[in-house]
Amino acid sequence: VKIAVLGTGSVGRTMAARFATIGHDVTVGTRDVQATLTRSEPDAMGNPPFSTWAAGHSQVPLLSFAEAAANAELVVNATNGGVSIEVLTQAGADNLAGKVLLDIANPLDFSQGFPPTLFVKDTDSLGEQIQRAYPDVKVVKALNTMNTAVMVDPTLVPAPHDVFIAGNDADAKRRVAGLLGEWFGWTPGSIIDVGDITAARGTEMMLPVWLRLWQALGTNQINFHIARAGV
Amino acid sequence: VKIAVLGTGSVGRTMAARFATIGHDVTVGTRDVQATLTRSEPDAMGNPPFSTWAAGHSQVPLLSFAEAAANAELVVNATNGGVSIEVLTQAGADNLAGKVLLDIANPLDFSQGFPPTLFVKDTDSLGEQIQRAYPDVKVVKALNTMNTAVMVDPTLVPAPHDVFIAGNDADAKRRVAGLLGEWFGWTPGSIIDVGDITAARGTEMMLPVWLRLWQALGTNQINFHIARAGV
């Protein structure tokens, strides 16, 4: 499956690196390829310039959002939630139509500092905003409730833990569930389908407690597990 | 420890019954004792009339909110979140001052049907609203992220799972953590202190995904576990 990862931050880099490692045809999408490659300062989150990462991952082309989306069968939204809709506009509705969009972003608002608040919640979600803006796209919300390193390597957390998927298209969710296993090693029993895309309200609202748990436990190598009979 | 449980719904009944079973001096507080005892219809949630429960728990006196609070060393807020502040006003600031208030309520708004939304979230919480309204009370938010049956008997969920506590008073949190063990059997390793009372934002915002998980998994005998190295 040809994959486009939209976003050049640490989340996008980690996902793209994993796809390349396992031999998938992956590209990374960005707003302005030249600007991204010529930037020589760390980004706003303190990550090294993208060119540093790109030098170590020469098999991963950097394309415009539109080119990356056009060439892909499956698109990963690894952008900051605050720019996701605009990035998808640049990717282009025609380039996205009919495709599965794996949305791993969160609607975090850092404008008041840390901890961030959520710019949409409770009666709506980023996942729903994206689905409404691109009705021809099969949006599947998943992986947004954990650290990126854990997303791509669930064995980092030794005890059983879970990934939640939400979306309106049952086939797309089944496909993503299979890919989460193939790509990252998520077992079927660790994947919980929480319903249609409105369930993204619930999973996006887990971020605030996740941030508190990170502080309280002193590690981000943690994840939610839904304990229940037999699991 | 003399305990007052404020609220006569299923949550209050379950908590009070557990306290009585283990031999604690417990009272239940209500708005109007006579009205509560003479009601003969199921309540809005379909619970049998309180008098039916009271007949089987004659060792648990039903008092006004103020009397219950005045007689207690520790108060449990088991009311619906939407009336919690008003109930505590009836209980009386003087009757609550200096005491630990274990707040297990959630800010659920059922005015638009099911699933409920949250009437406060993200930048504030019910726990904080209560703490601000009663600054002399030691508010400890806990147990609000699970079904009542699981609150009082964590063995209902066989795998490891956790209870989150939040509050501004470290001694009050330590005391509650000890009592959760003594009362219900929560082990020290299953109690996670997520910080000051502002952390209630995070735990209260777990309700929407909990409701989805209840639907998706077909059981409310579930609970959150934070998987991490060694646990």
Side-chain angles (χ1 to χ4, degrees):
Chain A
V1 53
K2 296 173 74 171
I3 306 165
V5 175
L6 307 185
T8 57
S10 65
V11 180
R13 294 178 197 186
T14 304
M15 298 287 282
R18 176 69 192 161
F19 292 133
T21 297
I22 60 178
H24 273 290
D25 185 354
V26 58
T27 65
V28 170
T30 193
R31 193 177 306 266
D32 179 330
V33 171
Q34 274 316 107
T36 298
L37 289 176
T38 55
R39 203 174 294 132
S40 59
E41 299 294 315
D43 70 14
M45 306 298 281
N47 301 303
F50 187 81
S51 56
T52 304
W53 183 86
H57 298 84
S58 54
Q59 74 276 53
V60 182
L62 183 69
L63 304 175
S64 71
F65 289 128
E67 289 169 320
N71 289 331
E73 301 162 64
L74 185 145
V75 178
V76 178
N77 176 30
T79 63
N80 292 328
V83 299
S84 291
I85 296 280
E86 188 220 327
V87 163
L88 293 168
T89 302
Q90 292 197 24
D94 288 351
N95 294 329
L96 297 167
K99 296 178 181 175
V100 172
L101 178 72
L102 173 56
D103 174 30
I104 65 176
N106 278 303
L108 300 180
D109 175 359
F110 285 94
S111 65
Q112 305 300 313
F114 193 91
T117 56
L118 303 176
F119 64 76
V120 59
K121 61 231 164 196
D122 198 25
T123 56
D124 196 4
S125 62
L126 179 60
E128 289 165 89
Q129 289 183 338
I130 293 171
Q131 185 63 83
R132 283 198 305 273
Y134 301 94
D136 296 336
V137 174
K138 294 165 184 170
V139 179
V140 178
K141 188 97 201 182
L143 295 171
N144 62 302
T145 52
M146 67 195 78
N147 177 266
T148 317
V150 176
M151 292 181 193
V152 303
D153 183 6
T155 67
L156 287 176
V157 178
H161 56 103
D162 304 317
V163 57
F164 309 107
I165 62 174
N168 294 340
D169 188 293
D171 282 336
K173 284 196 285 190
R174 268 192 292 275
R175 187 152 175 234
V176 166
L179 291 169
L180 292 178
E182 181 190 321
W183 292 337
F184 308 133
W186 289 93
T187 60
S190 65
I191 301 171
I192 301 179
D193 183 343
V194 285
D196 66 22
I197 194 64
T198 65
R201 299 173 193 182
T203 63
E204 293 174 7
M205 280 195 282
M206 297 175 85
L207 262 287
V209 81
W210 187 91
L211 293 167
R212 294 285 185 159
L213 289 162
W214 176 19
Q215 294 181 305
L217 300 172
T219 173
N220 57 17
Q221 308 277 294
I222 60 176
N223 195 15
F224 298 101
H225 174 55
I226 307 307
R228 54 201 192 275
V231 199
Chain B
V1 53
K2 296 174 75 172
I3 306 165
V5 174
L6 306 185
T8 57
S10 65
V11 180
R13 294 178 197 185
T14 303
M15 298 288 282
R18 175 70 192 160
F19 292 133
T21 298
I22 60 177
H24 274 290
D25 185 355
V26 58
T27 65
V28 170
T30 192
R31 193 177 306 266
D32 179 329
V33 171
Q34 275 315 106
T36 298
L37 289 177
T38 56
R39 204 174 294 131
S40 58
E41 300 295 315
D43 70 15
M45 306 299 281
N47 300 303
F50 187 81
S51 56
T52 304
W53 183 88
H57 298 84
S58 54
Q59 73 276 50
V60 182
L62 183 69
L63 304 175
S64 70
F65 288 129
E67 290 169 320
N71 288 331
E73 300 162 64
L74 184 146
V75 178
V76 178
N77 176 30
T79 63
N80 293 326
V83 299
S84 291
I85 296 280
E86 189 220 327
V87 163
L88 293 169
T89 302
Q90 291 196 24
D94 289 351
N95 293 330
L96 297 168
K99 296 178 182 176
V100 172
L101 178 73
L102 173 57
D103 174 30
I104 64 175
N106 278 303
L108 300 180
D109 176 358
F110 285 95
S111 65
Q112 305 300 312
F114 192 91
T117 55
L118 304 176
F119 64 75
V120 59
K121 59 229 165 197
D122 198 22
T123 56
D124 196 5
S125 62
L126 179 60
E128 288 166 90
Q129 289 183 337
I130 293 171
Q131 185 62 82
R132 282 198 305 273
Y134 300 94
D136 295 336
V137 174
K138 295 166 184 169
V139 179
V140 178
K141 189 97 201 184
L143 295 171
N144 63 302
T145 52
M146 67 195 78
N147 178 266
T148 317
V150 176
M151 291 182 195
V152 303
D153 184 5
T155 67
L156 287 177
V157 178
H161 56 103
D162 303 317
V163 56
F164 309 106
I165 62 173
N168 294 340
D169 189 293
D171 283 336
K173 284 196 285 190
R174 269 193 291 274
R175 185 148 177 237
V176 166
L179 291 169
L180 292 178
E182 180 189 322
W183 292 337
F184 308 133
W186 289 94
T187 60
S190 65
I191 301 171
I192 301 179
D193 182 344
V194 285
D196 66 22
I197 195 64
T198 65
R201 300 173 192 181
T203 63
E204 293 174 7
M205 280 196 282
M206 297 175 84
L207 262 288
V209 81
W210 188 91
L211 293 167
R212 295 285 184 158
L213 288 162
W214 176 18
Q215 295 181 305
L217 300 172
T219 173
N220 58 18
Q221 309 276 296
I222 60 176
N223 195 15
F224 297 101
H225 174 54
I226 307 307
R228 54 200 192 276
V231 198

